[in-house]
Amino acid sequence: QVQLVESGGGLVQAGGSLRLSCAASGSIFSSIYAMAWYRQAPGKQRELVAAVTSDGSTNYADFVKGRFTISRDNAKNTVYLQMNSLKPEDTAVYYCNFQRRFRPDYWGQGTQVTVSS
């Protein structure tokens, strides 16, 4: 029903930056949805990185505050994650999440972010 297409992952050196994008398409009839980025590193559970609600309110995991910024473009049904000052411990597969009230979440396929020392 909803498809999420992610882009922007890759290999970057510590201290560098990446910008992830996630474009939603399909059966989207309004902008009343929340979107978020999660990540999962080897041997760890998937964890919330940042989220943005339909009115633009944001929240961040403590480990990315001051470094990452989440934003959305409602006209494009797209969410972005600007990642600055990247650290090796940020290495993970990053997943886009799309959520509407009383409906199952949708997930992107994941995009690999690798930060070298």
Side-chain angles (χ1 to χ4, degrees), residues 5 8 17 25 42 54 56 58 70 73-74 78 87 100 103 114 116:
V5 179
S17 298
S25 62
S54 59
T58 60
I70 190 169
D73 185 335
N74 289 338
T78 298
K87 305 174 181 179
R100 291 178 292 192
R103 301 197 67 179
T114 302
S116 63

Side-chain angles (χ1 to χ4, degrees), residues 4-51:
L4 305 176
V5 179
E6 300 159 329
S7 62
L11 176 64
V12 66
Q13 293 182 330
S17 298
L18 287 172
R19 181 177 171 87
L20 305 183
S21 299
C22 176
S25 62
S27 301
I28 304 171
F29 309 114
S30 76
S31 295
I32 307 175
Y33 55 82
M35 296 188 76
W37 290 95
Y38 289 73
R39 72 186 188 188
Q40 188 166 23
K44 297 188 65 178
Q45 293 187 342
R46 188 172 299 186
E47 61 187 353
L48 176 69
V49 177

Side-chain angles (χ1 to χ4, degrees), residues 26-91:
S27 301
I28 304 171
F29 309 114
S30 76
S31 295
I32 307 175
Y33 55 82
M35 296 188 76
W37 290 95
Y38 289 73
R39 72 186 188 188
Q40 188 166 23
K44 297 188 65 178
Q45 293 187 342
R46 188 172 299 186
E47 61 187 353
L48 176 69
V49 177
V52 58
T53 62
S54 59
D55 65 356
S57 297
T58 60
N59 64 84
Y60 297 91
D62 287 343
F63 54 80
V64 302
K65 285 182 178 177
R67 299 189 297 125
F68 293 7
T69 303
I70 190 169
S71 61
R72 63 189 284 165
D73 185 335
N74 289 338
K76 298 179 179 179
N77 291 324
T78 298
V79 65
Y80 306 94
L81 185 67
Q82 179 66 47
M83 305 187 293
N84 298 325
S85 301
L86 283 162
K87 305 174 181 179
E89 52 263 45
D90 294 319
T91 296

